[in-house]
Amino acid sequence: ARPSMAQAEEHTSLLSLPDEILLHAARLCLSASLPAAVRLATQTCHTLRRALQPLPAEAERRRLRWQPSLTLRHAISSDGRLLTKTHANGQDCACAAGPLLPTAGRSAWRLRVEEADGEAAILVGVCDAAGRSEWGLNLRRGDLVHLNRNHKGQIVSVGKSAVLMTFQQRVAHLANLDRVKVVEVIVDHDASTLTFSIDGAPPLLPAPISPCAADATVLERDGRRGGGDVDAVAPRASLSGGAALRPYASLSVAAGKQSQRPDRVSFCDGYLYAP
């Protein structure tokens, strides 16, 4: 059907706006829905495509993929979105990281967690740019764990856990441990805080993203007093507002346990959004 006169006037009015205004409006759309913004920039008239030319590259930077170079003892598939535990690996040396996040404002993403065997220690959250310092929600216990790793991926220090759930939230969480979960991870980059929402429930208590406290447990590797590969404590990131962070996950089970089906974590939407 041919557009009405009113629709034609609205279209003409939109195209009469300066390119800067059109691009600003499209970037607001990008924060809310990456697919809609990409369609706006690529499946429209020539005039709008020209005005929105920077948008596809900006959208690509918001796509979420697990990074092979920062992933140990996990399999990556489904165009980089799916993370699978490869074997009973223990939490040591088992970690995965995604792309760098923005350094200002707020970022959020959703993860689909498929927990198969009930013996898993599944952590989801953020890590520093090098993948050496990690803050993860332990989905078995409901608290925030901070781990530091050496260059081999071995855990060398464990920070004090942070309580994220009220008593009522913990009771409800423990009653539904074996269900598939959708976990929303929310990062406030300016305030350096991290919080989570599980299956659309109200967000858990926010926790600061900060280096290990002075009372962190420091682990000795290989009992190495004389000549071992000593990497005492991984460098502690400076995590004031604006620190470089990445999405993080770790799927593991206790040594000697073997599951029938692997645990899996995947990016639900495949892109970042601003909550």
Side-chain angles (χ1 to χ4, degrees), residues 10-229:
E10 289 175 3
H11 187 63
T12 303
S13 176
L14 177 64
L15 295 182
S16 68
L17 292 173
D19 289 356
E20 294 80 4
I21 299 298
L22 292 172
L23 185 57
H24 177 70
R27 283 171 172 156
L28 293 177
C29 180
L30 179 62
S31 297
S33 173
L34 183 143
V38 171
R39 287 195 297 270
L40 179 64
T42 60
Q43 300 177 25
T44 185
C45 69
H46 174 74
T47 303
L48 275 179
R49 289 201 304 271
R50 177 181 52 78
L52 305 181
Q53 190 173 2
L55 203 65
E58 294 178 18
E60 190 60 33
R61 289 195 290 270
R62 285 181 171 267
R63 292 193 184 275
L64 293 170
R65 302 289 185 268
W66 299 109
Q67 305 296 297
S69 62
L70 293 170
T71 296
L72 297 171
R73 298 195 178 186
H74 294 82
I76 300 173
S77 58
S78 298
D79 194 27
R81 291 172 55 178
L82 177 62
L83 191 69
T84 305
K85 181 178 60 182
T86 53
H87 52 77
N89 48 30
Q91 199 167 48
D92 216 9
C93 302
C95 53
L100 285 171
L101 300 173
T103 56
R106 301 177 77 210
S107 298
W109 59 96
R110 297 191 309 146
L111 296 167
R112 178 181 172 87
V113 180
E114 300 176 49
E115 187 174 351
D117 56 21
E119 298 288 344
I122 297 180
L123 305 179
V124 296
V126 296
C127 65
D128 66 355
R132 302 278 295 274
S133 206
E134 307 157 358
W135 296 261
L137 170 66
N138 185 319
L139 288 172
R140 299 296 299 175
R141 300 200 309 259
D143 56 357
L144 187 75
V145 178
H146 180 196
L147 305 175
N148 278 314
R149 298 179 186 268
N150 63 17
H151 67 284
K152 292 183 176 181
Q154 298 168 318
I155 298 171
V156 291
S157 66
V158 181
K160 187 176 181 181
S161 298
V163 176
L164 298 182
M165 294 185 178
T166 64
F167 176 77
Q168 290 82 1
Q169 285 175 320
R170 185 176 290 273
V171 169
H173 178 70
L174 293 176
N176 294 284
L177 281 179
D178 297 325
R179 293 177 52 233
V180 173
K181 303 175 184 67
V182 174
V183 181
E184 182 183 32
V185 186
I186 306 165
V187 183
D188 188 324
H189 300 280
D190 301 319
S192 292
T193 59
L194 177 66
T195 192
F196 304 86
S197 173
I198 300 174
D199 290 332
L204 306 182
L205 302 173
I209 307 171
S210 57
C212 272
D215 61 350
T217 301
V218 178
L219 309 179
E220 286 194 28
R221 309 298 319 180
D222 305 332
R224 324 176 278 248
R225 289 276 173 168
D229 181 15

